[in-house]
Amino acid sequence: MLVQEVGADSKQMKAVMLAQFGGPEALVWGDVPAPRAGPGEIVLRVHAAALNYADLLQRRGTYGIEQSLPRIIGYECSGVIAEVGAGVSGWRVGDPACALVSSGAYASFVASPAAQVLPIPTGIDLVEAAALPEAACTVWSNVLDLGALQAGESLLVHGGAGGIGSFAIQAARAIGARVFATAGSAEKLGRCRDFGADRAISYTDEDFVAVIEAETGGRGADVILDNMGAAYLGRNVAALAFDGRIAMIGLQGGRDAEINLGAMMRKRAALFTTSLRDRPPAAKARIVAGVLRDLWPHVAAGCIRPVIDRSFPLAEAAAAHRYMESGSHVGKILLLAPESA
């Protein structure tokens, strides 16, 4: 039996549709059919969605995962539960929540597996909660799970001023690790220090390998969270400690690289290449459970806060994409649904 709020069964909703691959102008605001909750799902009335670099890649058609068009992009949001599907327990219509979804967040309503829905942590408002799911799930799965970062170890975060980077710095500090972060401007370096980085490294005029060697007495970083891919691979290995772990979550610096396996073996190093969106539902459910267990208490305690640069109306998603492509933002960019604007 489905439980729903009054009005949740409306046939149409407002959404940002991607009708063809291309520039920001490919994002079209209009009316589309509203989702319904299937078994094991909830429908969220969206108050805010957050942009991610993967959204830009999906819009351009270069994400690497086959996509059918037209589609609604966006894979994290916050809002209020509007409908609960059969077999779902623990959630009721009207509950505030945030969710990690495979697509569809740029809309008035979005359906999500219930296992990928999270409660809003204490002290976080409903709109800013949209900035949490993707960063928290990425950091937990790569830094805490695969990377197994421990108190007393060190983490190097590339792109420390971004949505994921800012969350990673705070999370690592919260568990008692030392943090290094790269950024490209004086303002962003300062923000990295504000987030808790022990040493912010300018990638424009400093060699992060040399800085890490000097700061750690030649030991290296235990875990590296990398969004650059090929451009940084060799230098990441050089900056790594013995038994160190590299979690590669992005390819902004290229896809093709040569790797010195001898250098990797000498350091007993591990390289993980991961993505979040294409993981199967069971894997995402495990990640969300880990976030709730290991990171949400730090958010509720105020040790981790969502970092939000600015917000745009949902209907102005194209302008938000242009702003993100400018590279000037720090933290997350939000899209506000008409109900919350």
Side-chain angles (χ1 to χ4, degrees):
M1 177 179 176
L2 298 179
V3 181
Q4 63 187 43
E5 68 171 12
V6 175
D9 59 347
S10 58
K11 294 181 180 180
Q12 297 290 306
M13 67 174 181
K14 291 293 186 181
V16 177
M17 292 296 298
L18 177 64
Q20 61 184 14
F21 299 125
E25 66 280 358
L27 299 172
V28 180
W29 176 248
D31 294 314
V32 299
R36 295 297 305 270
E41 293 184 334
I42 64 97
V43 167
L44 201 68
R45 178 187 288 274
V46 175
H47 281 236
L51 269 66
N52 291 280
Y53 186 70
D55 296 355
L56 305 185
L57 299 181
Q58 289 179 63
R59 192 203 72 223
R60 297 168 188 162
T62 60
Y63 190 55
I65 299 173
E66 186 175 348
Q67 302 176 98
S68 60
L69 295 179
R71 68 186 297 110
I72 305 171
I73 63 172
Y75 62 103
E76 64 177 331
C77 59
S78 61
V80 174
I81 292 179
E83 188 178 354
V84 178
V88 175
S89 61
W91 292 107
R92 297 181 300 176
V93 169
D95 285 345
C98 55
L100 177 75
V101 296
S102 295
S103 62
Y106 289 17
S108 299
F109 293 91
V110 64
S112 171
Q116 293 170 215
V117 179
L118 285 154
I120 307 295
T122 302
I124 303 297
D125 71 40
L126 186 59
V127 168
E128 66 181 350
L132 288 174
E134 183 266 353
C137 289
T138 298
V139 170
W140 184 88
S141 61
N142 288 280
V143 176
L144 299 187
D145 189 33
L146 292 176
L149 182 69
Q150 303 295 315
E153 290 189 323
S154 60
L155 171 70
L156 169 60
V157 180
H158 290 303
I164 292 173
S166 59
F167 193 101
I169 292 170
Q170 296 178 80
R173 282 300 298 267
I175 69 168
R178 190 180 184 195
V179 188
F180 306 100
T182 63
S185 69
E187 178 188 0
K188 290 186 177 182
L189 290 166
R191 295 299 301 275
C192 288
R193 289 189 287 269
D194 293 342
F195 302 146
D198 295 276
R199 174 68 155 85
I201 306 166
S202 171
Y203 63 71
T204 60
D205 53 27
E206 290 185 289
D207 177 4
F208 71 80
V209 178
V211 173
I212 294 296
E213 182 177 11
E215 292 285 338
T216 63
R219 185 178 188 279
D222 296 289
V223 178
I224 298 177
L225 184 63
D226 176 60
N227 62 351
M228 292 301 294
Y232 278 14
L233 181 56
R235 296 165 67 199
N236 280 337
V237 174
L240 203 61
F242 283 91
D243 298 309
R245 294 82 72 192
I246 301 170
M248 187 180 294
I249 60 171
L251 301 170
Q252 295 182 38
R255 297 172 177 267
D256 300 319
E258 291 187 3
I259 186 168
N260 187 330
L261 294 177
M264 294 277 294
M265 292 183 72
R266 281 194 298 274
K267 289 191 172 182
R268 301 182 299 276
L271 170 63
F272 301 99
T273 58
T274 73
S275 62
L276 186 60
R277 180 176 175 268
D278 59 347
R279 296 198 193 198
K284 289 181 180 178
R286 175 179 172 273
I287 290 168
V288 168
V291 166
L292 183 61
R293 181 187 65 242
D294 298 332
L295 291 177
W296 252 217
H298 294 299
V299 178
C303 300
I304 302 173
R305 306 297 298 181
V307 178
I308 298 169
D309 185 287
R310 65 181 60 185
S311 302
F312 292 78
L314 182 59
E316 298 177 16
H321 274 231
R322 290 188 186 96
Y323 178 64
M324 189 173 195
E325 288 178 324
S326 75
S328 59
H329 65 288
V330 173
K332 288 282 192 175
I333 301 166
L334 298 186
L335 296 174
L336 304 183
E339 294 82 359
S340 63

